[in-house]
Amino acid sequence: MLPTYERLSDPKSVFFRLPFARLALTALSLPLGGFLFCVAWSLAFDFVRSTYTHCDVANYLPSVSAAIGNYEPQRTVWRLAIFLHLPLRLAAAKMYLEHYREHIRRSRRLLGVLACCLNVVEDLALFCLSFWTSADHYETHRNAFVVFIACSECYMLVSYLLNRNARKAVLLPHEEKSLRYKRNLFLVNVVAFGLAGYCFVRHNSHCEAGVYTFFALFEYVVVLTNMGFHMTSYWDFHALNVVCDAKHGLYLSQF
């Protein structure tokens, strides 16, 4: 069997060949575009309803759950974006599994498998919390959110450590760039999540004006840094193509 990045395929058996950069950009643009649309539409047309909380104090931003899941057309737009981008995210997880087999030291390959499993569970949890909203299915939404956050944070940490400490060879410049972005986005994500949790508890305990706005703002940072972290695949698979053929299935190739 030839190495993953050097497989040679009969052109007649190739179903498609796509630059990975295009796949990464598409996988990012769908949820990013959907998220920005939902927040903007909520602020423009559902401001009072989407920013209301049980404390009934001044609030200027909708929470993520309110923006994407409580009202139309936001709910449909978000669900469509997540539904369309899920196959791309799962394909990227498979690409990472092959990537780790090729480039991670044998003693650390189980961590590579763990990272890919966390990535897949994160994707499925995101799908669940998007289709079972807090307004209609609170417990399911809450449990899916907990799984999503736990897998997301663990995946980002394991992925960063694998690329920093477990590589067989020295990182190339674009891989070093990816690693820096991974580190910075992970740190910002963790800090923002902690601040969001603090603001959420403080809002529910004291019902102070504006605190829920900061909670929503830090939620946005968590969402955007998560998207940015997954976008680092753009540099991890620099200049590679995603190929699907009858013999090998889905894989990465330089050709």
Side-chain angles (χ1 to χ4, degrees), residues 37-38 66-81 130-131 133 135-136:
F37 170 84
C38 290
I68 69 174
N70 288 0
Y71 311 107
E72 293 291 354
Q74 301 97 301
R75 184 185 315 180
T76 298
V77 169
W78 177 252
R79 286 177 174 178
L80 182 62
S130 299
F131 280 78
T133 65
D136 300 326

Side-chain angles (χ1 to χ4, degrees), residues 18-92:
L18 182 70
F20 191 91
R22 187 179 302 173
L23 177 69
L25 289 172
T26 302
L28 173 68
S29 63
L30 285 168
L32 177 61
F35 175 72
L36 294 177
F37 170 84
C38 290
V39 172
W41 190 279
S42 296
L43 288 172
F45 301 106
D46 283 304
F47 180 80
V48 175
R49 291 193 300 169
S50 65
T51 58
Y52 175 81
T53 73
H54 70 281
C55 287
D56 197 21
V57 295
N59 176 37
Y60 306 103
L61 288 174
S63 68
V64 172
S65 294
I68 69 174
N70 288 0
Y71 311 107
E72 293 291 354
Q74 301 97 301
R75 184 185 315 180
T76 298
V77 169
W78 177 252
R79 286 177 174 178
L80 182 62
I82 294 303
F83 178 79
L84 291 176
H85 108 296
L86 181 62
L88 302 179
R89 285 280 294 268
L90 294 177

Side-chain angles (χ1 to χ4, degrees), residues 18 38 40 45 58 73 85 113 127 138 149 165 177 188 228 240 242 245:
L18 182 70
C38 290
F45 301 106
H85 108 296
V113 174
F127 181 85
Y138 176 75
I149 285 294
N165 298 327
K177 183 177 183 179
V188 173
L240 296 176
V242 179
D245 63 33

Side-chain angles (χ1 to χ4, degrees), residues 109-136:
R109 285 183 185 172
L110 281 179
L111 288 177
V113 174
L114 173 62
C116 293
C117 290
L118 289 169
N119 193 356
V120 170
V121 175
E122 175 194 343
D123 294 340
L124 297 178
L126 176 61
F127 181 85
C128 290
L129 70 87
S130 299
F131 280 78
W132 283 269
T133 65
S134 60
D136 300 326

Side-chain angles (χ1 to χ4, degrees), residues 4-5 7 16 18-21 23-24 87-104 112 115-116 119-120 123 155 233-234 236-237 240-245 248-253:
T4 301
Y5 298 147
R7 289 178 182 164
F16 65 81
L18 182 70
F20 191 91
L23 177 69
L88 302 179
R89 285 280 294 268
L90 294 177
K94 184 180 186 301
M95 299 301 102
Y96 267 113
L97 185 60
E98 293 199 9
H99 177 73
Y100 291 142
R101 285 173 177 168
E102 292 287 338
H103 296 285
I104 298 300
C116 293
N119 193 356
V120 170
D123 294 340
Y155 168 71
S233 61
Y234 180 93
D236 290 336
F237 302 127
L240 296 176
N241 294 307
V242 179
V243 181
C244 184
D245 63 33
H248 302 295
L250 193 67
Y251 61 94
L252 290 169
S253 173

Side-chain angles (χ1 to χ4, degrees), residues 53-55 198-208 211-212:
T53 73
H54 70 281
C55 287
Y198 168 76
C199 291
F200 183 78
V201 172
R202 187 179 180 97
H203 169 76
N204 287 320
S205 301
H206 297 84
C207 285
E208 298 167 305
V211 173
Y212 201 77

